[in-house]
Amino acid sequence: MRKTIKQASQLKEDLEKLNITKQSSIVTLDIEAMYPSIQIGHVQRAVEYFLKDAPEEDKEKAKSCLEMIKFGMSNTMITFAGKYYEYGGSDAESKGLTIGGYESAFLADLVAAFILENLDEMFQGDGGDTYSKIYRDDGIKVDMTNKTTDEICDWYEEFQSRVNTLIGSDSLKFTMEIWKPSSPPEEVPRYSDKITICRNDAFPYLDLEMYWRHDELQFRVHLKPNQELKYLNKSSAHTKATFEAIPHGVLRRLTSLTSVHEDNEDTTLVVLYPKHIEALERAGLPLPKVYPTLKEANEKLKNDTILRSTEEEQQRRKKQQKDYARATYFVIGRTTNFWDKPVCGMIKELVMKHKLPWLRFKMANSRYTNLGELFNADLSTKVMTGIVDEEMMDETCNCNALSLCEDGECLYDGDCRKKMVIYGLKDKTTDKIYYGKTVQHLKLRTSTHFQQVWSLVDYKRNPNDPKKKKAAMKSDSFAYHFAKLCGDCTNSNQSRAKLKQVVSVEVIWQGEPIQCTKSARTRACKICMVERKQIMKALRDDKHKVINENDDIYAACKCSTRFHKFAHIDSDALRTRLTQKKVTPKRKSKKACGNRKHAVSDYFTRERESRPPAGISFVA
């Protein structure tokens, strides 16, 4: 679609090729509430227009796709303030595109391009010296000749009228902004509710900001007044290449959207755009030690562009496109405990068995939440609101003289009785850290670590003692690391005292007890997953600073499950419930039921009827 803008750098290159002066007229168009305003009828007209010369087979495919799109638009649900609503009412023809929908962006571009293609003569100008393009709902129109405000208003009136006729409705409403720094304050456009005049020295459009310098149109990156820049944080679970690509792409984008001239060519990017650099630093992303000047960055960008246009690079890209075109994509549904072997292993065996060395495959594991899971998650959130597990709540420090450090302070900084936590035990002598998890009190788990250290030290002195050997077999990487420091200790008390001197404890993450208990002993155990992510993140940053071994990543979940109990019972509500007349349901025979499903259903029905009323407070 030749009327759409792919990115802001493309717009900058196009405008730099034009002979734009201060006498030129620059206006921007915007569609009010574009996505909700585009209906299925508009999409159908656009598809029919662009497929008018296509084969009948393609038209039939497009018709089937439109039916699926219509079905999706008529079965969309939204949630607001904890309630679910059917989007757009019951009439499918009047529903618009959903913001964030998978196909909404493409369909919106399609309708916008359809409008510009059919109204192309309105963007030609008197002598064909007009530039016009659109990105999503934002369009731009540049006339090389000077247009008065009244002439622009006349053009807007005719344009809006022809759009209504083209799409068959008046649902798409356009607004316009005119850039006229020299316009007097008393000048008011005819359609003041739809057309405004920008009298500022700079004029924003997309990520660009246009301004005049010595009668030449220049460009720079635009930031909204209250815009807050955020980039992918380093603590997220992404590859190293992803984190390195983000700063590279940001600096490249800042360079490509900025005009180079005598006033800024020797200025570094950190001075030109300090907010972008601060956002990258807050995210903890890898940044260059020395930032290039705008001139240096622009020359590097040009060299990269020339390198991409070389014959070798072109051949590499063609081969890559050819490989993509030859690739066959298929979806494999996987159910837990259904596959005996991993899918990749099965494919490799087939490749070797049938001698297919040319077959190369890539795998992407995706997991999408379906509607039923969304409803269940929302219902669970509402049901569990206000319900807490009193036995798993944090408690105040009760450390005695044996647990306190020599200075009388708590080794855990008051967090000794926290539960369901991910913790870090740091060796002060080497700055190495051991990461672990616990569902019990933190100091109980740490005490077990200290005891394992002494068990390992004691076993090395008495390797023939079977009891000490059995105790030492439970030692983990923490015990093996700190046993080297406690080799001269003669008893467990000396070992514990020395460990309290060289170990510092930190609580890294604390989970919600009820939610974590639900997933215990499963592959998706919440607290185990957080621990694995923390260990892998630390290994990626500096593997020499981590005490943990691979066993801590691949080991099975050992989190314990527990039953929930009542905290207290409202006796009045319970007495009222017990004195109510109970109706015994009629029990059906097994022969009448045909199987045991009905009997089980009756059993759960009676269980639901006999549940205590709302007067009874639950604590999970």
Side-chain angles (χ1 to χ4, degrees):
M1 293 178 285
R2 60 186 182 89
K3 287 293 184 179
T4 57
I5 301 173
K6 294 182 179 180
Q7 52 188 0
S9 58
Q10 175 199 354
L11 173 68
K12 174 177 173 289
E13 293 175 2
D14 293 344
L15 295 181
E16 286 176 339
K17 296 176 183 177
L18 303 176
N19 186 25
I20 301 177
T21 64
K22 285 189 175 182
Q23 301 301 320
S24 304
S25 299
I26 303 177
V27 300
T28 58
L29 293 166
D30 182 71
I31 304 176
E32 296 180 343
M34 181 181 186
Y35 283 20
S37 300
I38 295 180
Q39 303 168 0
I40 186 65
H42 305 156
V43 177
Q44 289 175 340
R45 291 183 181 225
V47 171
E48 291 174 359
Y49 173 80
F50 287 109
L51 291 180
K52 58 186 177 182
D53 298 328
E56 290 297 326
E57 183 181 356
D58 292 345
K59 293 182 179 180
E60 289 298 324
K61 289 181 180 179
K63 186 177 180 181
S64 300
C65 293
L66 287 172
E67 289 296 325
M68 288 190 288
I69 293 173
K70 183 178 178 180
F71 175 80
M73 294 173 64
S74 59
N75 292 275
T76 302
M77 301 190 72
I78 59 175
T79 177
F80 178 74
K83 295 183 179 181
Y84 287 89
Y85 302 89
E86 185 180 6
Y87 173 68
S90 58
D91 185 12
E93 299 294 336
S94 62
K95 289 185 178 182
L97 299 175
T98 55
I99 299 176
Y102 180 77
E103 73 287 343
S104 296
F106 168 74
L107 296 178
D109 281 347
L110 187 70
V111 173
F114 166 67
I115 293 174
L116 293 183
E117 288 285 346
N118 283 270
L119 302 181
D120 188 49
E121 69 276 6
M122 293 199 66
F123 294 92
Q124 295 301 323
D126 298 334
D129 49 356
T130 301
Y131 175 87
S132 60
K133 283 197 175 182
I134 194 168
Y135 179 83
R136 296 289 189 269
D137 59 337
D138 296 313
I140 186 170
K141 178 176 179 289
V142 180
D143 282 295
M144 300 308 166
T145 57
N146 189 12
K147 299 286 185 181
T148 64
T149 302
D150 289 337
E151 289 176 336
I152 295 175
C153 290
D154 293 337
W155 181 92
Y156 166 81
E157 183 180 7
E158 182 183 356
F159 175 73
Q160 182 66 69
S161 176
R162 294 189 60 176
V163 168
N164 297 343
T165 305
L166 180 64
I167 64 175
S169 69
D170 59 351
S171 59
L172 289 180
K173 300 291 186 182
F174 283 82
T175 59
M176 178 183 285
E177 188 173 14
I178 308 171
W179 187 26
K180 277 193 172 185
S182 60
S183 175
E186 61 273 8
E187 184 179 14
V188 179
R190 191 160 61 246
Y191 302 98
S192 57
D193 58 332
K194 299 293 183 181
I195 302 177
T196 56
I197 298 177
C198 177
R199 298 177 175 87
N200 300 329
D201 295 333
F203 188 58
Y205 177 71
L206 300 181
D207 295 338
L208 282 175
E209 191 173 85
M210 296 173 276
Y211 65 98
W212 295 105
R213 178 185 176 273
H214 306 321
D215 296 333
E216 291 184 3
L217 187 64
Q218 304 290 326
F219 304 90
R220 60 191 175 209
V221 177
H222 171 66
L223 275 179
K224 296 179 181 178
N226 298 322
Q227 183 176 350
E228 184 178 358
L229 295 172
K230 291 184 179 180
Y231 298 106
L232 184 68
N233 197 279
K234 192 179 179 182
S235 61
S236 62
H238 288 78
T239 61
K240 184 178 180 181
T242 302
F243 294 119
E244 293 177 350
I246 294 174
H248 174 76
V250 171
L251 298 179
R252 185 184 180 91
R253 170 180 165 274
L254 296 177
T255 303
S256 63
L257 297 183
T258 307
S259 300
V260 183
H261 48 75
E262 295 178 356
D263 297 341
N264 63 6
E265 62 180 6
D266 295 327
T267 308
T268 59
L269 294 176
V270 67
V271 177
L272 289 174
Y273 301 107
K275 292 185 177 180
H276 293 79
I277 306 302
E278 290 174 4
L280 291 171
E281 292 175 350
R282 285 196 305 269
L285 299 173
L287 295 172
K289 295 181 180 179
V290 179
Y291 289 95
T293 63
L294 182 59
K295 183 178 180 179
E296 294 171 345
N298 190 61
E299 289 177 354
K300 184 178 184 303
L301 184 62
K302 290 180 179 179
N303 293 334
D304 292 343
T305 305
I306 295 173
L307 180 63
R308 261 193 238 103
S309 61
T310 59
E311 185 176 353
E312 293 181 359
E313 182 66 17
Q314 292 293 334
Q315 290 179 355
R316 188 190 69 82
R317 288 179 174 271
K318 287 181 179 180
K319 184 178 181 303
Q320 187 179 32
Q321 294 175 359
K322 183 179 179 181
D323 292 340
Y324 285 152
R326 294 174 60 187
T328 301
Y329 299 91
F330 56 94
V331 179
I332 300 178
R334 178 169 181 174
T335 308
T336 306
N337 300 326
F338 180 78
W339 299 89
D340 295 334
K341 298 180 180 179
V343 178
C344 58
M346 297 174 64
I347 296 177
K348 285 183 178 179
E349 289 182 1
L350 293 173
V351 169
M352 298 299 294
K353 179 179 178 180
H354 298 284
K355 299 180 181 180
L356 304 174
W358 51 266
L359 179 61
R360 302 178 181 89
F361 65 92
K362 298 179 182 179
M363 290 190 60
N365 297 288
S366 300
R367 175 69 170 87
Y368 299 99
T369 306
N370 58 38
L371 186 60
E373 291 172 336
L374 290 174
F375 283 157
N376 287 332
D378 180 72
L379 180 61
S380 177
T381 302
K382 294 176 181 177
V383 171
M384 299 303 295
T385 300
I387 297 180
V388 296
D389 191 338
E390 288 186 345
E391 293 185 359
M392 296 295 289
M393 293 177 66
D394 296 342
E395 301 178 57
T396 56
C397 174
N398 65 347
C399 292
N400 52 24
L402 183 63
S403 303
L404 295 174
C405 299
E406 292 183 354
D407 56 0
E409 297 294 330
C410 176
L411 177 64
Y412 312 92
D413 197 19
D415 296 335
C416 56
R417 301 180 76 187
K418 281 189 173 183
K419 296 183 178 181
M420 205 67 67
V421 296
I422 304 296
Y423 58 88
L425 303 178
K426 183 178 182 181
D427 183 357
K428 297 179 182 178
T429 61
T430 60
D431 289 336
K432 292 186 176 182
I433 303 178
Y434 174 86
Y435 298 98
K437 67 176 185 300
T438 181
V439 298
Q440 56 184 344
H441 286 158
L442 176 58
K443 68 177 182 180
L444 294 179
R445 180 64 182 123
T446 308
S447 178
T448 304
H449 280 304
F450 289 178
Q451 181 60 38
Q452 287 178 349
V453 173
W454 167 246
S455 298
L456 187 59
V457 173
D458 196 20
Y459 166 69
K460 289 182 178 180
R461 293 177 180 174
N462 304 280
N464 297 324
D465 191 332
K467 291 185 178 180
K468 294 180 179 180
K469 180 179 180 181
K470 184 178 180 180
M473 292 294 290
K474 300 179 180 179
S475 302
D476 54 10
S477 56
F478 176 89
Y480 281 98
H481 175 81
F482 285 95
K484 301 174 184 178
L485 302 177
C486 300
D488 57 344
C489 298
T490 58
N491 55 57
S492 60
N493 290 334
Q494 290 183 5
S495 173
R496 185 181 298 274
K498 189 165 187 177
L499 287 172
K500 286 194 292 185
Q501 294 177 358
V502 299
V503 174
S504 63
V505 186
E506 177 190 6
V507 176
I508 299 174
W509 178 85
Q510 185 174 21
E512 205 284 318
I514 298 178
Q515 296 296 330
C516 291
T517 304
K518 287 180 179 180
S519 59
R521 297 283 180 172
T522 66
R523 290 185 177 181
C525 178
K526 177 70 174 178
I527 191 170
C528 291
M529 286 297 183
V530 176
E531 180 196 24
R532 293 184 185 113
K533 287 171 59 178
Q534 181 62 36
I535 295 174
M536 294 180 72
K537 174 183 177 297
L539 288 172
R540 181 181 59 199
D541 293 341
D542 189 355
K543 63 180 181 180
H544 302 292
K545 294 293 184 180
V546 182
I547 300 176
N548 300 78
E549 297 179 351
N550 290 340
D551 292 345
D552 298 320
I553 299 176
Y554 299 104
C557 172
K558 299 179 181 178
C559 299
S560 59
T561 56
R562 52 192 301 275
F563 291 98
H564 305 309
K565 300 180 293 185
F566 292 113
H568 66 277
I569 297 178
D570 189 336
S571 58
D572 294 335
L574 180 60
R575 188 180 302 109
T576 302
R577 178 65 177 170
L578 293 176
T579 55
Q580 289 179 345
K581 184 179 179 180
K582 297 181 179 179
V583 180
T584 305
K586 295 180 180 181
R587 182 165 181 165
K588 298 181 181 180
S589 64
K590 294 182 180 179
K591 186 176 181 181
C593 296
N595 51 45
R596 294 180 179 270
K597 292 184 178 179
H598 296 287
V600 174
S601 176
D602 293 342
Y603 169 76
F604 283 109
T605 302
R606 293 195 299 274
E607 286 295 314
R608 287 195 297 268
E609 293 178 353
S610 61
R611 288 179 182 173
I616 299 177
S617 300
F618 289 85
V619 172

